[in-house]
Amino acid sequence: MDAYAVSYDLNEPEQEYTELIDALESYEAHWHELTSFWLLDTDESHTEIRDNLKQYIDSNDEILVLGLSGSAAASSINDWDWIEEHV
């Protein structure tokens, strides 16, 4: 499995994005401690993740999926153990 960072901007005020959150939470290994930023550990490719998630956003919204290299640094992050295990 590979680790990916997913970030999005929902550009419509008061937009409902419950389906997007549900889709992100459906990945067995996911981490979400920062607003609009997720980490996923999955067998899917970055394009498959993007294609899966973009069905839940509007055409004026933005989504970014980045493959992770395995190194990370942070400050004041809860659940750092998840990151160390999956990234």
Side-chain angles (χ1 to χ4, degrees):
M1 294 193 356
D2 294 316
Y4 297 92
V6 178
S7 185
Y8 52 86
D9 280 335
L10 304 175
N11 295 313
E12 189 71 31
E14 300 181 29
Q15 183 174 0
E16 179 64 44
Y17 54 96
T18 304
E19 290 180 339
L20 175 61
I21 300 302
D22 290 346
L24 287 160
E25 289 178 342
S26 74
Y27 285 91
E28 182 177 334
H30 66 272
W31 177 91
H32 177 65
E33 294 268 335
L34 304 171
T35 304
S36 300
F37 183 86
W38 293 69
L39 297 177
L40 305 177
D41 194 8
T42 179
D43 289 326
E44 291 184 21
S45 71
H46 57 287
T47 54
E48 290 171 320
I49 295 167
R50 181 209 54 208
D51 292 347
N52 176 40
L53 298 177
K54 74 179 189 178
Q55 67 184 308
Y56 304 110
I57 62 175
D58 293 337
S59 61
N60 66 326
D61 295 331
E62 301 158 310
I63 192 162
L64 175 66
V65 180
L66 300 170
L68 300 178
S69 67
S71 60
S75 176
S76 302
I77 295 293
N78 295 324
D79 201 15
W80 184 253
D81 293 340
W82 191 98
I83 295 171
E84 288 182 320
E85 180 181 343
H86 295 278
V87 178

